[in-house]
Amino acid sequence: MKLPWDPKANSTIISDISCVRPFAKGLLNEQWEAVTHEAEIEAMAHLFSAASKEKKYRSILNPDDVTTAPTNNPTRRKLDFVLGEVSKIQVVQPPRQLEPHLLLHFWDCGGQPAFLEILPVFLTSRTTFLLHFDASKDLNSKWKSVHHIDGARFDGEEVNVSTLSYMLNWMACVHSHLMKYGADGSISDYPRMFCIGTHGDLLTNERKEQVKIELISHYKNKEYVKLISDTLIIDNTSSGKGESEDPNIEVVRRAIIEITKYKLIVKTPISWVLFCKVLQALEENIVSISQAEDVGAACNISPEDVPQVLLFYHDLGAVLYYPQLEGLKEKVIVDPKFFIDALGKIFTFQASTTHEREWEIFHQYGILIQPLYTSVWKECGDLKPEDFIEVLLHFRLAAQVIIEDQDICSSRYKQYFIPAILKLCQDNTIATHSKEVEVASPLHIKFETGFVPPGFFTRFVAVIAAHPNTTLYLEEGVYRNRVTFRYQEERNRSIEHLTVTDQHDAIQINVHRPASHSDPVPLANVCQDILVLLEDSAKEVENILQNCIGRGFEELPKYSVSRSLRYICDDCPVSSKLHYLTPAKYQTSYLEVTCRVNTTYQPLTEKEKIWFTEKVPLKAEDQLHKTIIPDLVSVTTQKSPIGIFESHFPQLCDAIATEHNITRVSSHCISLISDDVFDEAIKTTNPVYERAQALLRELRRHLKASSDQHQYLLNLISIFHKIKDPILSQIADSMKSEL
């Protein structure tokens, strides 16, 4: 693309988002035209006129009604000014059928791994992704991180990962986060991806075809191939040069126009379209819910319907609205770019002359300390630094931790572990120590896609880091693809080292006990608890990734990736290559087992036995089920009703922690909880998340004391379904499936 970009040009592919307002008019005439303020005012006048002619609307805008009482609120004054401008436009004859009003945004996303992690915060499925790569370079060359900040270039680390691998990661990220099925089970028309190789002017036609064929060969058998529309090699220096322009540029341009005209249009009430246009015309980064209700009132939208409209436009990517987050539930982020840019400040590696020690700790250990994030986010208007932290916690990009080493950071400040910003560990070997007395054979968490879904691993270790039985073992080093924890339960006198490694095709789990203790709990017992921790953590990550885009105005089934637990064969007499055991469904530590390369039954080794419970007399069927461990189909373990409730406790807190949900849940549970808890849940001014925790703790206490825990939990599941909240219903379904 030739710079500087001309917003009035008829030929361009993409631009820096800071140069472009949402497109509306012109695109359907196949012109690339930036929207002017005057054009938006005229469009709003037509919408007001059309809306007021429908029977269900009163006259929405009357010049005599525009003048309001004087106010010191600048946003209210802007609203009055915009409505005043609209009222001056004389609509002679409104069109019989309104032309679709498009909200088309261009995002120039950073390709660095850390930015890949934050995409679920704002991505929407109604998107065409243009995945750019330098076609003049070898796809298998090592990828180097380069940041361009305010015109300056900052070279990052060169990692042992190829450009090809990062391309495939992006494809997988779009697929795993945004893939949805149609109501009839078909693949949705969106999202779609184009692989765009630039620097085509440096390649011969023969070499262009070779690069294209090579890339296609790597993704043609993957699940995400369904979303890839084309792979093109373009001469980007020819953009906008008329007949000299590379014809492949027109292919991309035409595809964007076609998907916008025919695939992405959503039938929307006129008043809703008008609401969004007026909101954008205020040119504010953030408005309060009360200010959004003022806009709604001008557009004939009742205050109780405004949250629904905001969630609708949140899912379209036009605004950001997080009613489930305490710090943001009363705020609407009108400019998503403002928010993402601010959030992304901690993911850049821009040199800083202040808080040098805090930045050093952050980059080396992934520990974000309160003085640093307060400084970074102190000038973000109505958003507080803690609001950004809450978003990071909600999307499991961060976990609050306590670092006991005072040489690293002081315990008087809040500390958050953010693994996404860490460097990669280039060494795949796991360190062993001579003092180790017990070592478990490694485990692998495998995914049906053949690779670890993008964004899964860093969230997985963040959830583990937040668990009360784990602490970060910084002495071993922490990396984006490997983190070691100390694991200790309160009742145990032993400390285990739990190492979690992203090996791209699987997540590897290593557990060892580094030193002997007097009368320690058997390592096999501890590993059964670790299995539960791994399963609960994986489910929590899956839940947040499934629901990260919003609450959804389209109730379409989302794509989900199944996973399985594999036990690595420790000492195979046939092959030294990595392969897996094939345990029985009810495998115990004393049952013989086969492996993938040896069909002869062999006893488990001492390292393999650790993952399995001891053999017990089969006196009753239920006694057998108490001893089973995860099989090859899933990682699930048999749980009691109280265990099921506890494993879903964090997700329940997130789902219930809105004023609407906590009021309804409390009302439905009024016969199950004390008056004090009920009053605290709906009447106090305490943060809603704390009230949700108190309510759930009370329900847990009654569940634990119940003589029929199974039926009690079923009653709770039924109540959660009655709330009619999509996320709460999904959690209820998950709990029921485990009973």
Side-chain angles (χ1 to χ4, degrees), residues 144-197:
K144 185 172 183 177
S145 174
V146 178
H147 299 260
H148 292 276
I149 304 171
D150 296 331
R153 171 176 169 142
F154 298 88
D155 291 333
E157 60 176 326
E158 181 176 271
V159 297
N160 193 26
V161 179
S162 65
T163 298
L164 172 63
S165 294
Y166 271 121
M167 285 287 291
L168 298 179
N169 276 352
W170 267 89
M171 298 175 195
C173 180
V174 172
H175 180 255
S176 60
H177 291 328
L178 301 177
M179 171 73 170
K180 291 183 178 182
Y181 294 105
D184 58 354
S186 61
I187 299 172
S188 179
D189 290 326
Y190 42 81
R192 287 295 182 267
M193 292 181 275
F194 283 84
C195 300
I196 308 294

Short mmCIF file of all heavy atoms in Angstrom, two decimals, residues 144-197:
data_model
loop_
_atom_site.label_atom_id
_atom_site.label_comp_id
_atom_site.label_asym_id
_atom_site.label_seq_id
_atom_site.Cartn_x
_atom_site.Cartn_y
_atom_site.Cartn_z
N LYS A 144 10.82 -13.08 13.49
CA LYS A 144 11.36 -12.09 14.42
C LYS A 144 10.29 -11.07 14.73
O LYS A 144 9.63 -10.54 13.83
CB LYS A 144 12.58 -11.39 13.82
CG LYS A 144 13.25 -10.43 14.80
CD LYS A 144 14.57 -9.91 14.26
CE LYS A 144 15.26 -9.01 15.28
NZ LYS A 144 16.57 -8.53 14.82
N SER A 145 10.14 -10.79 16.02
CA SER A 145 9.15 -9.83 16.46
C SER A 145 9.67 -8.41 16.23
O SER A 145 10.76 -8.05 16.66
CB SER A 145 8.84 -10.03 17.95
OG SER A 145 8.00 -9.03 18.43
N VAL A 146 8.86 -7.61 15.53
CA VAL A 146 9.22 -6.21 15.27
C VAL A 146 8.02 -5.34 15.65
O VAL A 146 6.90 -5.60 15.23
CB VAL A 146 9.58 -5.97 13.79
CG1 VAL A 146 9.88 -4.50 13.55
CG2 VAL A 146 10.77 -6.84 13.40
N HIS A 147 8.25 -4.33 16.47
CA HIS A 147 7.19 -3.41 16.88
C HIS A 147 7.45 -2.04 16.27
O HIS A 147 8.57 -1.53 16.31
CB HIS A 147 7.16 -3.26 18.42
CG HIS A 147 6.89 -4.53 19.14
ND1 HIS A 147 5.65 -4.87 19.63
CD2 HIS A 147 7.70 -5.57 19.46
CE1 HIS A 147 5.71 -6.04 20.23
NE2 HIS A 147 6.95 -6.48 20.14
N HIS A 148 6.41 -1.44 15.70
CA HIS A 148 6.49 -0.07 15.20
C HIS A 148 5.59 0.79 16.08
O HIS A 148 4.38 0.63 16.09
CB HIS A 148 6.03 0.00 13.74
CG HIS A 148 6.96 -0.70 12.80
ND1 HIS A 148 8.08 -0.11 12.27
CD2 HIS A 148 6.93 -1.96 12.30
CE1 HIS A 148 8.71 -0.96 11.48
NE2 HIS A 148 8.03 -2.10 11.48
N ILE A 149 6.19 1.69 16.84
CA ILE A 149 5.47 2.51 17.80
C ILE A 149 5.79 3.97 17.53
O ILE A 149 6.94 4.38 17.62
CB ILE A 149 5.84 2.14 19.25
CG1 ILE A 149 5.59 0.65 19.49
CG2 ILE A 149 5.05 2.98 20.24
CD1 ILE A 149 6.12 0.16 20.81
N ASP A 150 4.76 4.74 17.18
CA ASP A 150 4.93 6.16 16.90
C ASP A 150 6.05 6.42 15.90
O ASP A 150 6.86 7.33 16.06
CB ASP A 150 5.21 6.93 18.21
CG ASP A 150 4.04 6.85 19.17
OD1 ASP A 150 2.89 6.73 18.69
OD2 ASP A 150 4.26 6.91 20.39
N GLY A 151 6.09 5.59 14.86
CA GLY A 151 7.07 5.80 13.80
C GLY A 151 8.44 5.22 14.06
O GLY A 151 9.28 5.18 13.17
N ALA A 152 8.67 4.73 15.28
CA ALA A 152 9.97 4.14 15.60
C ALA A 152 9.88 2.62 15.56
O ALA A 152 8.84 2.03 15.86
CB ALA A 152 10.43 4.60 16.99
N ARG A 153 10.96 1.97 15.19
CA ARG A 153 11.02 0.51 15.10
C ARG A 153 11.74 -0.06 16.30
O ARG A 153 12.82 0.40 16.68
CB ARG A 153 11.73 0.09 13.81
CG ARG A 153 12.01 -1.41 13.72
CD ARG A 153 12.62 -1.79 12.40
NE ARG A 153 13.11 -3.16 12.43
CZ ARG A 153 13.03 -4.01 11.41
NH1 ARG A 153 12.47 -3.62 10.28
NH2 ARG A 153 13.52 -5.23 11.49
N PHE A 154 11.14 -1.10 16.91
CA PHE A 154 11.75 -1.80 18.04
C PHE A 154 11.83 -3.28 17.68
O PHE A 154 10.82 -3.94 17.48
CB PHE A 154 10.91 -1.62 19.31
CG PHE A 154 10.79 -0.19 19.76
CD1 PHE A 154 9.77 0.62 19.29
CD2 PHE A 154 11.70 0.35 20.65
CE1 PHE A 154 9.65 1.93 19.69
CE2 PHE A 154 11.60 1.67 21.06
CZ PHE A 154 10.57 2.47 20.59
N ASP A 155 13.06 -3.79 17.56
CA ASP A 155 13.26 -5.20 17.24
C ASP A 155 13.14 -6.05 18.49
O ASP A 155 13.78 -5.77 19.51
CB ASP A 155 14.64 -5.42 16.62
CG ASP A 155 14.73 -4.80 15.22
OD1 ASP A 155 13.68 -4.71 14.58
OD2 ASP A 155 15.84 -4.43 14.80
N GLY A 156 12.30 -7.08 18.41
CA GLY A 156 12.11 -7.98 19.53
C GLY A 156 12.93 -9.25 19.36
O GLY A 156 13.90 -9.29 18.59
N GLU A 157 12.52 -10.30 20.04
CA GLU A 157 13.26 -11.54 20.02
C GLU A 157 13.05 -12.29 18.70
O GLU A 157 12.01 -12.20 18.06
CB GLU A 157 12.80 -12.45 21.17
CG GLU A 157 11.33 -12.79 21.09
CD GLU A 157 10.89 -13.75 22.18
OE1 GLU A 157 11.69 -14.62 22.57
OE2 GLU A 157 9.74 -13.65 22.63
N GLU A 158 14.08 -13.01 18.28
CA GLU A 158 13.93 -13.95 17.17
C GLU A 158 13.67 -15.31 17.80
O GLU A 158 14.45 -15.81 18.60
CB GLU A 158 15.20 -14.00 16.32
CG GLU A 158 15.07 -14.96 15.14
CD GLU A 158 16.27 -14.94 14.23
OE1 GLU A 158 16.29 -14.12 13.28
OE2 GLU A 158 17.19 -15.73 14.46
N VAL A 159 12.56 -15.90 17.45
CA VAL A 159 12.13 -17.13 18.12
C VAL A 159 12.29 -18.31 17.19
O VAL A 159 12.38 -18.17 15.97
CB VAL A 159 10.66 -17.02 18.58
CG1 VAL A 159 10.51 -15.91 19.60
CG2 VAL A 159 9.74 -16.77 17.40
N ASN A 160 12.32 -19.49 17.80
CA ASN A 160 12.49 -20.72 17.03
C ASN A 160 11.15 -21.19 16.46
O ASN A 160 10.77 -22.35 16.61
CB ASN A 160 13.10 -21.80 17.93
CG ASN A 160 13.58 -22.99 17.14
OD1 ASN A 160 13.91 -22.86 15.96
ND2 ASN A 160 13.60 -24.15 17.77
N VAL A 161 10.43 -20.25 15.88
CA VAL A 161 9.14 -20.54 15.26
C VAL A 161 9.13 -19.86 13.90
O VAL A 161 9.57 -18.72 13.76
CB VAL A 161 7.97 -20.01 16.12
CG1 VAL A 161 6.64 -20.30 15.44
CG2 VAL A 161 7.99 -20.66 17.50
N SER A 162 8.64 -20.55 12.90
CA SER A 162 8.70 -20.03 11.53
C SER A 162 7.52 -19.12 11.23
O SER A 162 6.50 -19.13 11.92
CB SER A 162 8.71 -21.19 10.54
OG SER A 162 7.47 -21.90 10.61
N THR A 163 7.68 -18.34 10.16
CA THR A 163 6.57 -17.51 9.67
C THR A 163 5.37 -18.39 9.35
O THR A 163 4.22 -18.03 9.61
CB THR A 163 7.01 -16.75 8.41
OG1 THR A 163 8.09 -15.88 8.74
CG2 THR A 163 5.86 -15.93 7.83
N LEU A 164 5.63 -19.55 8.78
CA LEU A 164 4.56 -20.49 8.46
C LEU A 164 3.77 -20.88 9.71
O LEU A 164 2.53 -20.89 9.70
CB LEU A 164 5.14 -21.74 7.80
CG LEU A 164 4.17 -22.90 7.56
CD1 LEU A 164 3.08 -22.49 6.59
CD2 LEU A 164 4.92 -24.13 7.05
N SER A 165 4.49 -21.17 10.79
CA SER A 165 3.81 -21.57 12.04
C SER A 165 2.92 -20.46 12.56
O SER A 165 1.81 -20.70 13.03
CB SER A 165 4.84 -21.97 13.10
OG SER A 165 5.53 -23.14 12.71
N TYR A 166 3.40 -19.21 12.47
CA TYR A 166 2.58 -18.10 12.95
C TYR A 166 1.36 -17.88 12.06
O TYR A 166 0.28 -17.55 12.55
CB TYR A 166 3.41 -16.82 13.04
CG TYR A 166 4.08 -16.67 14.39
CD1 TYR A 166 5.45 -16.58 14.49
CD2 TYR A 166 3.33 -16.65 15.55
CE1 TYR A 166 6.07 -16.47 15.73
CE2 TYR A 166 3.93 -16.54 16.78
CZ TYR A 166 5.31 -16.46 16.87
OH TYR A 166 5.91 -16.35 18.09
N MET A 167 1.52 -18.09 10.76
CA MET A 167 0.37 -18.00 9.86
C MET A 167 -0.68 -19.04 10.25
O MET A 167 -1.88 -18.75 10.35
CB MET A 167 0.82 -18.23 8.42
CG MET A 167 1.54 -17.06 7.79
SD MET A 167 0.42 -15.69 7.40
CE MET A 167 -0.54 -16.41 6.07
N LEU A 168 -0.23 -20.27 10.48
CA LEU A 168 -1.16 -21.34 10.84
C LEU A 168 -1.79 -21.07 12.21
O LEU A 168 -2.96 -21.39 12.44
CB LEU A 168 -0.43 -22.69 10.85
CG LEU A 168 0.16 -23.14 9.51
CD1 LEU A 168 0.87 -24.48 9.66
CD2 LEU A 168 -0.90 -23.22 8.43
N ASN A 169 -1.03 -20.45 13.12
CA ASN A 169 -1.58 -20.09 14.43
C ASN A 169 -2.70 -19.07 14.29
O ASN A 169 -3.72 -19.15 14.99
CB ASN A 169 -0.48 -19.52 15.33
CG ASN A 169 0.30 -20.61 16.04
OD1 ASN A 169 -0.06 -21.78 15.98
ND2 ASN A 169 1.38 -20.24 16.69
N TRP A 170 -2.52 -18.09 13.40
CA TRP A 170 -3.56 -17.09 13.19
C TRP A 170 -4.81 -17.75 12.62
O TRP A 170 -5.94 -17.45 13.04
CB TRP A 170 -3.05 -16.00 12.24
CG TRP A 170 -2.46 -14.84 12.96
CD1 TRP A 170 -1.17 -14.68 13.35
CD2 TRP A 170 -3.16 -13.69 13.42
NE1 TRP A 170 -1.02 -13.49 14.00
CE2 TRP A 170 -2.22 -12.86 14.07
CE3 TRP A 170 -4.48 -13.26 13.34
CZ2 TRP A 170 -2.57 -11.64 14.63
CZ3 TRP A 170 -4.83 -12.04 13.90
CH2 TRP A 170 -3.87 -11.25 14.54
N MET A 171 -4.64 -18.63 11.66
CA MET A 171 -5.79 -19.34 11.09
C MET A 171 -6.53 -20.12 12.17
O MET A 171 -7.76 -20.09 12.25
CB MET A 171 -5.32 -20.30 9.99
CG MET A 171 -4.65 -19.63 8.80
SD MET A 171 -4.02 -20.88 7.64
CE MET A 171 -2.93 -19.88 6.63
N ALA A 172 -5.75 -20.82 12.99
CA ALA A 172 -6.35 -21.61 14.06
C ALA A 172 -7.03 -20.73 15.09
O ALA A 172 -8.09 -21.09 15.64
CB ALA A 172 -5.28 -22.47 14.73
N CYS A 173 -6.45 -19.56 15.35
CA CYS A 173 -7.02 -18.63 16.34
C CYS A 173 -8.39 -18.15 15.87
O CYS A 173 -9.37 -18.18 16.63
CB CYS A 173 -6.08 -17.44 16.54
SG CYS A 173 -6.66 -16.22 17.74
N VAL A 174 -8.48 -17.72 14.62
CA VAL A 174 -9.76 -17.26 14.07
C VAL A 174 -10.78 -18.38 14.12
O VAL A 174 -11.94 -18.20 14.51
CB VAL A 174 -9.57 -16.75 12.63
CG1 VAL A 174 -10.91 -16.46 11.98
CG2 VAL A 174 -8.68 -15.51 12.61
N HIS A 175 -10.35 -19.59 13.74
CA HIS A 175 -11.25 -20.73 13.68
C HIS A 175 -11.75 -21.13 15.06
O HIS A 175 -12.95 -21.29 15.29
CB HIS A 175 -10.52 -21.90 13.02
CG HIS A 175 -11.34 -23.15 12.90
ND1 HIS A 175 -11.14 -24.24 13.71
CD2 HIS A 175 -12.36 -23.48 12.08
CE1 HIS A 175 -11.99 -25.19 13.37
NE2 HIS A 175 -12.75 -24.76 12.39
N SER A 176 -10.83 -21.26 16.01
CA SER A 176 -11.22 -21.78 17.32
C SER A 176 -12.02 -20.76 18.13
O SER A 176 -12.89 -21.13 18.92
CB SER A 176 -9.97 -22.20 18.12
OG SER A 176 -9.09 -21.11 18.32
N HIS A 177 -11.77 -19.46 17.94
CA HIS A 177 -12.49 -18.44 18.71
C HIS A 177 -13.83 -18.06 18.08
O HIS A 177 -14.77 -17.72 18.80
CB HIS A 177 -11.65 -17.18 18.84
CG HIS A 177 -10.44 -17.35 19.72
ND1 HIS A 177 -10.41 -18.20 20.78
CD2 HIS A 177 -9.21 -16.77 19.67
CE1 HIS A 177 -9.21 -18.15 21.35
NE2 HIS A 177 -8.48 -17.29 20.70
N LEU A 178 -13.93 -18.11 16.76
CA LEU A 178 -15.05 -17.46 16.10
C LEU A 178 -15.92 -18.37 15.25
O LEU A 178 -16.97 -17.95 14.77
CB LEU A 178 -14.54 -16.32 15.22
CG LEU A 178 -13.74 -15.24 15.95
CD1 LEU A 178 -13.22 -14.22 14.96
CD2 LEU A 178 -14.57 -14.56 17.01
N MET A 179 -15.50 -19.60 15.03
CA MET A 179 -16.25 -20.51 14.18
C MET A 179 -17.62 -20.81 14.79
O MET A 179 -17.74 -21.14 15.96
CB MET A 179 -15.46 -21.81 14.00
CG MET A 179 -16.21 -22.91 13.32
SD MET A 179 -16.41 -22.61 11.56
CE MET A 179 -17.04 -24.20 11.05
N LYS A 180 -18.67 -20.67 13.97
CA LYS A 180 -20.02 -21.03 14.39
C LYS A 180 -20.69 -21.84 13.29
O LYS A 180 -20.32 -21.74 12.12
CB LYS A 180 -20.87 -19.77 14.67
CG LYS A 180 -20.45 -18.99 15.89
CD LYS A 180 -21.39 -17.82 16.13
CE LYS A 180 -21.01 -17.05 17.38
NZ LYS A 180 -21.95 -15.93 17.64
N TYR A 181 -21.64 -22.65 13.70
CA TYR A 181 -22.43 -23.42 12.74
C TYR A 181 -23.77 -22.73 12.54
O TYR A 181 -24.28 -22.05 13.42
CB TYR A 181 -22.65 -24.84 13.25
CG TYR A 181 -21.40 -25.66 13.35
CD1 TYR A 181 -20.81 -25.93 14.58
CD2 TYR A 181 -20.80 -26.18 12.21
CE1 TYR A 181 -19.66 -26.70 14.68
CE2 TYR A 181 -19.65 -26.94 12.30
CZ TYR A 181 -19.08 -27.20 13.53
OH TYR A 181 -17.94 -27.94 13.61
N GLY A 182 -24.37 -22.95 11.36
CA GLY A 182 -25.70 -22.45 11.11
C GLY A 182 -26.73 -23.25 11.88
O GLY A 182 -26.43 -24.30 12.46
N ALA A 183 -27.96 -22.76 11.89
CA ALA A 183 -29.02 -23.44 12.62
C ALA A 183 -29.24 -24.86 12.10
O ALA A 183 -29.67 -25.75 12.84
CB ALA A 183 -30.31 -22.63 12.51
N ASP A 184 -28.94 -25.10 10.81
CA ASP A 184 -29.12 -26.43 10.24
C ASP A 184 -27.85 -27.27 10.29
O ASP A 184 -27.77 -28.33 9.67
CB ASP A 184 -29.59 -26.30 8.78
CG ASP A 184 -28.59 -25.51 7.93
OD1 ASP A 184 -27.62 -24.97 8.49
OD2 ASP A 184 -28.79 -25.44 6.70
N GLY A 185 -26.84 -26.78 11.03
CA GLY A 185 -25.59 -27.51 11.14
C GLY A 185 -24.56 -27.16 10.08
O GLY A 185 -23.45 -27.69 10.10
N SER A 186 -24.92 -26.28 9.15
CA SER A 186 -23.99 -25.89 8.10
C SER A 186 -22.97 -24.88 8.63
O SER A 186 -23.14 -24.31 9.72
CB SER A 186 -24.75 -25.27 6.93
OG SER A 186 -25.45 -24.11 7.36
N ILE A 187 -21.92 -24.66 7.86
CA ILE A 187 -20.88 -23.70 8.25
C ILE A 187 -21.39 -22.30 7.95
O ILE A 187 -21.92 -22.03 6.87
CB ILE A 187 -19.58 -23.97 7.48
CG1 ILE A 187 -19.07 -25.37 7.82
CG2 ILE A 187 -18.52 -22.93 7.81
CD1 ILE A 187 -17.91 -25.80 6.97
N SER A 188 -21.22 -21.40 8.91
CA SER A 188 -21.68 -20.03 8.73
C SER A 188 -20.91 -19.33 7.61
O SER A 188 -19.81 -19.75 7.23
CB SER A 188 -21.51 -19.26 10.05
OG SER A 188 -21.91 -17.93 9.91
N ASP A 189 -21.49 -18.26 7.08
CA ASP A 189 -20.85 -17.50 5.99
C ASP A 189 -19.68 -16.65 6.48
O ASP A 189 -19.01 -16.01 5.67
CB ASP A 189 -21.88 -16.59 5.32
CG ASP A 189 -22.91 -17.38 4.52
OD1 ASP A 189 -22.55 -18.41 3.95
OD2 ASP A 189 -24.09 -16.96 4.49
N TYR A 190 -19.45 -16.62 7.75
CA TYR A 190 -18.38 -15.81 8.32
C TYR A 190 -17.93 -16.45 9.61
O TYR A 190 -18.67 -17.23 10.21
CB TYR A 190 -18.86 -14.37 8.58
CG TYR A 190 -20.26 -14.30 9.17
CD1 TYR A 190 -20.48 -14.50 10.53
CD2 TYR A 190 -21.37 -14.08 8.35
CE1 TYR A 190 -21.75 -14.47 11.07
CE2 TYR A 190 -22.65 -14.05 8.88
CZ TYR A 190 -22.83 -14.25 10.24
OH TYR A 190 -24.10 -14.23 10.77
N PRO A 191 -16.69 -16.22 10.04
CA PRO A 191 -15.69 -15.35 9.40
C PRO A 191 -15.07 -16.01 8.17
O PRO A 191 -15.26 -17.20 7.94
CB PRO A 191 -14.66 -15.17 10.50
CG PRO A 191 -14.71 -16.47 11.25
CD PRO A 191 -16.16 -16.86 11.26
N ARG A 192 -14.30 -15.23 7.43
CA ARG A 192 -13.55 -15.74 6.29
C ARG A 192 -12.13 -15.15 6.33
O ARG A 192 -11.91 -14.09 6.91
CB ARG A 192 -14.23 -15.38 4.97
CG ARG A 192 -15.48 -16.19 4.70
CD ARG A 192 -15.16 -17.68 4.50
NE ARG A 192 -16.35 -18.46 4.20
CZ ARG A 192 -17.07 -19.09 5.12
NH1 ARG A 192 -16.75 -18.99 6.38
NH2 ARG A 192 -18.13 -19.80 4.78
N MET A 193 -11.21 -15.90 5.73
CA MET A 193 -9.81 -15.48 5.74
C MET A 193 -9.22 -15.48 4.33
O MET A 193 -9.57 -16.33 3.50
CB MET A 193 -8.97 -16.43 6.61
CG MET A 193 -9.28 -16.39 8.09
SD MET A 193 -8.24 -17.52 9.06
CE MET A 193 -9.15 -19.05 8.89
N PHE A 194 -8.34 -14.52 4.07
CA PHE A 194 -7.52 -14.49 2.86
C PHE A 194 -6.06 -14.49 3.31
O PHE A 194 -5.68 -13.72 4.21
CB PHE A 194 -7.79 -13.24 2.02
CG PHE A 194 -9.05 -13.29 1.23
CD1 PHE A 194 -10.27 -12.94 1.80
CD2 PHE A 194 -9.04 -13.70 -0.09
CE1 PHE A 194 -11.44 -12.98 1.08
CE2 PHE A 194 -10.20 -13.75 -0.83
CZ PHE A 194 -11.41 -13.39 -0.25
N CYS A 195 -5.25 -15.33 2.72
CA CYS A 195 -3.81 -15.30 2.97
C CYS A 195 -3.19 -14.42 1.87
O CYS A 195 -3.27 -14.75 0.68
CB CYS A 195 -3.22 -16.70 2.92
SG CYS A 195 -3.91 -17.81 4.15
N ILE A 196 -2.61 -13.30 2.28
CA ILE A 196 -2.10 -12.31 1.33
C ILE A 196 -0.57 -12.25 1.44
O ILE A 196 -0.02 -11.79 2.44
CB ILE A 196 -2.69 -10.91 1.61
CG1 ILE A 196 -4.21 -10.96 1.69
CG2 ILE A 196 -2.21 -9.93 0.54
CD1 ILE A 196 -4.90 -11.32 0.41
N GLY A 197 0.11 -12.72 0.39
CA GLY A 197 1.56 -12.61 0.34
C GLY A 197 1.96 -11.30 -0.34
O GLY A 197 1.56 -11.04 -1.47
#
